[in-house]
Amino acid sequence: MSELNNIALRILENGKGILAADESTGTMTKRLDAVKVPSTSENRLLFRETLFSSSSMMDYIGGVILYDETIKQKSSKKNSIPELISEMGSLPGIKVDTGAKVLANSPNEKITEGLDGLRERLKVYNKLGAKFTKWRGIYNISKEYPSKLSLQSNAHALARYSALVQECNMVPIVEPEVLMDGEHSAKECYEKTSEVIKKCFEELILHKIDLKGVILKPNMILAGNKSKNKISGEEVANLTLECLKNSVPQEVPGIAFLSGGQSEIEATENLNLINKLNNTSFIISYSFGRALQQSALKFWSQDINNVSGTQKVFNHRAKMNTLAAQGKWSKELEN
Ligand code: 13P
């Protein structure tokens, strides 16, 4: 087994998933504003350290995606944040893209930036303890989008990123996110997401990526958030599995979904159904941001020094998602 394959499997073993705590300072400020906590670097660290020192790290969270600010911070016990995460039994990872900007000549679409100087930045992150990385490309759905230009250029960037990450002995999480925003049907989401993922793997293969050392982070197949035709959880699961079967090469060891704006319970319920019906060879788990942190953040905001109370809320959510990653979740367990 290659070292990269080993890392990917370790992150996702036994129903474990990924905590996406890599919100940029701008996004984290929006999250903290919403719960009326000042977005200082101390508060951002306090919330994150509360999660990273919870017992979930040993039991449910196989990897944590950090943001540049956090990977360089020290915990209250004065060890580095990657050290804390490793000591707790999980693996530290890092978001390495620098954000999505307007795609020239297609102003309604975005292209993710961050390739310039990436090889050097990766060396620094690897030294700081990162074992895996993340890069997110985003696509919106409408009749004409994603355009060929967006499909091609985002896939190309994801492939060049992956090659540099593997060169530095880390596992790339490849995240092509087809956004939930809009009135589109689930069928349109299915078709466009399949096209997006296929194009990504076409480029990854062209760039000679070791697919056994990659984790795919896709969206689930859902109707748009403004669509009048919502579909059932079973339909979400069936369409999502069909999409993965048709577009992801067999060598890829694991798939970890983003939550993308679903509620905590909705994301868990859909993940559970996908795993119950999973007839693929892929390990299928989670790499949630909002759907893992929302209720913990809300609880924490009432008293930012209540570490054990916040951890209890977080541990519950992580446990529910790990059960869902094994198809063992049920609604009754939420109480
Ligand atoms: P959400 O689960 O909140 O969509 O975040 C996942 C993520 O990492 C987006 O890049």
Side-chain angles (χ1 to χ4, degrees):
M1 199 191 293
S2 75
E3 192 194 334
L4 294 179
N5 183 243
N6 210 4
I7 295 172
L9 293 175
R10 246 195 84 190
I11 294 172
L12 301 177
E13 70 187 0
N14 304 326
K16 284 185 182 177
I18 300 168
L19 166 61
D22 61 326
E23 298 88 354
S24 64
T25 301
T27 302
M28 198 58 191
T29 298
K30 274 192 223 148
R31 304 265 191 272
L32 292 175
D33 283 351
V35 294
K36 303 196 166 45
V37 175
S39 181
T40 59
S41 80
E42 290 79 16
N43 285 343
R44 292 192 288 272
L45 177 62
L46 183 58
F47 177 64
R48 286 166 165 161
E49 187 179 345
T50 302
L51 305 188
F52 304 163
S53 48
S54 69
S55 61
S56 294
M57 291 294 128
M58 183 61 82
D59 301 331
Y60 313 123
I61 302 295
V64 179
I65 316 174
L66 299 168
Y67 181 59
D68 180 73
E69 175 186 60
T70 325
I71 200 170
K72 294 170 179 163
Q73 283 174 318
K74 293 244 182 301
S75 77
S76 51
K77 299 207 173 71
K78 302 289 169 239
N79 54 357
S80 76
I81 292 299
E83 271 163 12
L84 166 67
I85 291 168
S86 307
E87 278 166 17
M88 293 302 295
S90 186
L91 292 179
I94 178 80
K95 186 232 302 283
V96 301
D97 68 65
T98 56
K101 308 284 156 58
V102 171
L103 175 60
N105 290 329
S106 188
N108 295 323
E109 297 187 287
K110 299 247 168 95
I111 177 72
T112 304
E113 296 189 343
L115 287 171
D116 286 355
L118 181 58
R119 181 178 265 135
E120 286 67 39
R121 286 196 292 127
L122 290 172
K123 284 183 195 146
V124 174
Y125 288 140
N126 190 235
K127 258 208 164 130
L128 288 169
K131 302 282 183 245
F132 69 101
T133 64
K134 181 189 110 171
W135 179 290
R136 172 174 175 253
I138 57 172
Y139 308 82
N140 44 303
I141 298 188
S142 73
K143 211 163 177 198
E144 71 255 61
Y145 300 131
S147 67
K148 276 202 168 133
L149 180 60
S150 149
L151 287 169
Q152 176 66 51
S153 46
N154 277 295
H156 176 81
L158 277 162
R160 283 189 56 201
Y161 141 81
S162 299
L164 289 166
V165 170
Q166 290 194 336
E167 180 188 88
C168 199
N169 298 315
M170 295 185 281
V171 166
I173 294 186
V174 172
E175 181 180 11
E177 175 173 7
V178 179
L179 298 168
M180 232 166 103
D181 308 335
E183 293 178 0
H184 56 268
S185 65
K187 185 166 172 279
E188 283 171 282
C189 178
Y190 169 86
E191 281 161 6
K192 306 274 181 171
T193 303
S194 303
E195 205 179 350
V196 162
I197 296 177
K198 278 182 190 157
K199 191 72 195 168
C200 285
F201 282 107
E202 195 183 303
E203 284 289 319
L204 260 66
I205 290 164
L206 185 67
H207 287 252
K208 302 186 168 54
I209 305 306
D210 170 9
L211 296 181
K212 290 197 171 79
V214 165
I215 295 174
L216 176 69
K217 175 164 174 167
N219 49 285
M220 295 178 190
I221 304 299
L222 305 163
N225 55 6
K226 296 199 189 89
S227 164
K228 291 183 193 81
N229 302 309
K230 294 279 185 286
I231 58 169
S232 70
E234 277 80 13
E235 286 172 292
V236 169
N238 281 321
L239 282 173
T240 303
L241 287 165
E242 203 52 40
C243 169
L244 298 175
K245 260 191 285 183
N246 294 338
S247 48
V248 185
Q250 291 289 318
E251 294 94 315
V252 174
I255 291 168
F257 288 106
L258 58 96
S259 59
Q262 298 179 75
S263 72
E264 289 183 338
I265 302 287
E266 199 182 346
T268 305
E269 189 167 17
N270 285 334
L271 179 64
N272 186 59
L273 284 165
I274 291 169
N275 273 291
K276 273 194 151 169
L277 301 172
N278 185 6
N279 52 0
T280 71
S281 58
F282 308 121
I283 300 174
I284 301 187
S285 190
Y286 58 93
S287 175
F288 293 162
R290 286 162 286 180
L292 261 178
Q293 301 181 69
Q294 232 156 40
S295 41
L297 182 66
K298 206 165 156 204
F299 184 93
W300 175 77
S301 71
Q302 306 302 311
D303 174 5
I304 64 171
N305 294 309
N306 187 350
V307 171
S308 64
T310 305
Q311 289 180 337
K312 209 171 147 199
V313 177
F314 178 66
N315 288 338
H316 172 73
R317 205 64 256 137
K319 182 179 180 181
M320 292 298 106
N321 284 310
T322 283
L323 286 171
Q326 302 170 98
K328 293 181 185 161
W329 174 86
S330 68
K331 225 175 208 144
E332 297 74 62
L333 295 170
E334 291 290 343
N335 305 313

